Amino acid sequence: MSKDNITDIAVIGGGASGFAAAIEAKTILPKAKVVILEKLDRVGRKILATGNGRCNLSNINLSADHYHGSVKNIMRIISATPSAKEFFGSIGVICSADAKGRIYPRSNSAATVLSALRLRAEELGIIERCGFEANFIESTPEYFRISSASGEKYPCRRVIVAAGGYAAPQFGTDGSVIRLLRSKGCHTTKICPAVAPLRVRPELLRGLKGVRAKGRVMAYTGGRLLKEEVGEIQFTDTALSGICVFNMAHLVSQYDGRLTLRLDLAADMDQEQLDGYLRVIQYQRARQTAEELLTGIFPRSLAVYLTKKALGKPLTVLISELRDTELKQVSQFIKKLDFEVLGSAPWKDAQVTSGGISGECVDERLQLRSEKGIFLCGEILDVDGDCGGYNLQWAWSSGILAGRSCADSLRGGLS
Ligand SMILES: Cc1cc2nc3c(=O)[nH]c(=O)nc-3n(C[C@H](O)[C@H](O)[C@H](O)COP(=O)(O)OP(=O)(O)OC[C@H]3O[C@@H](n4cnc5c(N)ncnc54)[C@H](O)[C@@H]3O)c2cc1C
């Protein structure tokens, strides 16, 4: 094969990490021919959906506590690459943080983030090739040959695999490239949806669909507290949702079948304060039925649900007739509402993949140990972060490192 027909760097996947990798590699090696091979008819479909269309692209509070997975040096990789503000500043995107430290583009628009990435890529001369679904990477002594599902072959000197994981397959990521990498000697850790709603027994949620309430979510296994977070809890007909629930989903892979979520729906009061509050209500609403006991504290359907479940009897009884022990039962129930977790929501409702190609399969430069010349970045690796910009930060940082390492491996070798 003539040298001219061989692309220097082929990036599989036109998502967050793929763009970061391609831009970094081409910036280091301006003469290199860099191509992004994207399966869908457009690049960056998932980027457009991030942060409800606003793209929460990083967080000012970056620390190891927010990341999970077998890649050992996650924080080292993040600190060795430009911060999101620096990276996006260099491509003309101004960013700012909200009160919770979540970083967004000033435009509040994911579309402008994708546009800025594409403009930078175009300026550099990176080629976008859409509609190419990589399904095999063949190695010859001199180069790699990436085959598409339709039989097309793409020869290249280096490969950066940035094809994402299994989460949200509607945006092009169905885990097929993870399976492809198994044929290259890679192994995976346990894979399951993360940053996702958690399924519980639907009969326990009857009457709560669509309800939102502030509270504390605590994840327990065998009576041991694993993690807790305060925020908005959302109820669907089959699952608990909301950011604080999403952030417990990574525990499912480790504690499958042994995970309980405990909700404290009055996290702003201690037990004594809540008891006292209910006694005042009893006095104020003496002639109302128990149905009105929690009116004004919770949305109507949640107020009725909690009182009914706690008392275990019809709510036609007058509030004045409730015994002290019954009031106590209600207030304790509000602070300790337990749900056994049946599993995560399906992939289409998950934002991230927990698990992936094991950290043992790549070196500190994110190059495959089993096959030199292939680099991995983004969600395909066994790294997942909490909700709040941590996953995109990993995509940018690992993409930049993979692009840099790949360019370094070619340096001096370009004709
Ligand atoms: C609804 C939603 C909202 C989210 N919001 C946020 C947020 O606000 N902040 C945050 O930090 N994270 C968020 N995330 C998570 C974040 O988007 C991902 O972690 C991140 O995009 C992963 O980047 P990646 O480059 O690894 O993969 P992706 O961005 O998923 O890109 C992979 C690309 O590879 C392509 N591809 C797949 N297979 C092939 C193949 N065989 N051949 C060629 N191309 C292929 C795909 O089509 C896709 O374009 C969100 C996720 C979802 C689903």
Side-chain angles (χ1 to χ4, degrees), residues 12-19 37-40 42-47 49-52 54-58 104 132-135 162-165 167-168 170-177 180 350-352 377-380 386-393 395:
I12 301 177
S17 66
F19 267 94
L37 302 173
E38 168 56 46
K39 160 181 162 177
L40 299 181
R42 292 163 57 192
V43 292
R45 292 243 354 243
K46 195 183 285 176
I47 294 175
T50 57
N52 284 325
R54 294 174 57 213
C55 190
N56 175 198
L57 48 81
S58 182
Y104 290 91
F132 187 103
E133 181 176 355
N135 70 355
Q170 62 275 31
F171 302 118
T173 41
D174 60 3
S176 56
V177 181
L180 181 164
Q351 294 193 1
V352 181
C377 55
E379 201 177 307
I380 199 160
D386 288 344
C387 193
Y390 299 99
N391 289 294
L392 279 174
Q393 180 59 61

Side-chain angles (χ1 to χ4, degrees), residues 53-66:
R54 294 174 57 213
C55 190
N56 175 198
L57 48 81
S58 182
N59 197 295
I60 53 172
N61 304 310
L62 293 172
S63 69
D65 309 344
H66 294 288

Side-chain angles (χ1 to χ4, degrees), residues 21 28 33 45 75 114 139 188 209 225 243 262 272 318 324 330 334 348 353 356 370 378 404:
I28 296 171
K33 185 176 173 196
R45 292 243 354 243
M75 287 316 294
L114 178 59
S139 315
T188 53
K209 187 179 173 186
L225 178 65
I243 291 174
R262 170 166 292 174
E272 215 172 299
L318 288 181
D324 280 357
V330 175
I334 291 170
K348 70 175 177 43
T353 310
S370 57
R404 195 182 286 169

Side-chain angles (χ1 to χ4, degrees), residues 176-341:
S176 56
V177 181
I178 292 187
R179 293 192 286 275
L180 181 164
L181 286 173
R182 287 199 182 115
S183 71
K184 293 274 158 210
C186 293
H187 62 275
T188 53
T189 54
K190 188 169 178 189
I191 290 172
C192 72
V195 185
L198 291 178
R199 287 183 297 108
V200 300
R201 278 170 40 214
E203 60 272 25
L204 296 180
L205 295 174
R206 216 162 282 145
L208 290 181
K209 187 179 173 186
V211 169
R212 290 161 183 254
K214 288 211 177 88
R216 173 175 288 121
V217 179
M218 291 157 279
Y220 280 90
T221 190
R224 180 162 60 96
L225 178 65
L226 300 169
K227 186 171 180 173
E228 61 181 309
E229 213 165 289
V230 174
E232 187 183 72
I233 301 154
Q234 296 169 22
F235 298 85
T236 76
D237 49 353
T238 54
L240 299 177
S241 186
I243 291 174
C244 49
V245 175
F246 286 178
N247 286 341
M248 307 290 164
H250 71 96
L251 296 169
V252 173
S253 65
Q254 212 178 331
Y255 301 100
D256 200 6
R258 293 175 290 131
L259 197 64
T260 299
L261 288 190
R262 170 166 292 174
L263 310 188
D264 173 356
L265 294 173
D268 50 342
M269 294 182 221
D270 63 26
Q271 191 70 65
E272 215 172 299
Q273 282 172 311
L274 184 59
D275 292 348
Y277 189 79
L278 293 191
R279 279 197 298 274
V280 172
I281 298 270
Q282 186 176 40
Y283 176 73
Q284 289 173 335
R285 295 193 191 138
R287 285 186 293 149
Q288 307 296 323
T289 61
E291 211 175 51
E292 307 300 343
L293 181 67
L294 300 179
T295 300
I297 314 182
F298 296 106
R300 176 83 187 155
S301 41
L302 181 57
V304 171
Y305 173 94
L306 291 168
T307 319
K308 204 166 167 180
K309 288 264 179 200
L311 293 177
K313 65 182 186 185
L315 300 185
T316 45
V317 57
L318 288 181
I319 291 180
S320 58
E321 289 168 4
L322 291 175
R323 293 189 301 273
D324 280 357
T325 49
E326 287 178 311
L327 280 187
K328 188 91 184 162
Q329 246 167 268
V330 175
S331 77
Q332 283 179 344
F333 193 68
I334 291 170
K335 290 190 79 66
K336 281 184 189 163
L337 184 56
D338 286 352
F339 292 92
E340 192 189 320
V341 175

Side-chain angles (χ1 to χ4, degrees), residues 4-24:
D4 300 340
N5 294 334
I6 303 180
T7 292
D8 294 304
I9 301 173
V11 179
I12 301 177
S17 66
F19 267 94
I23 289 171
E24 178 73 2

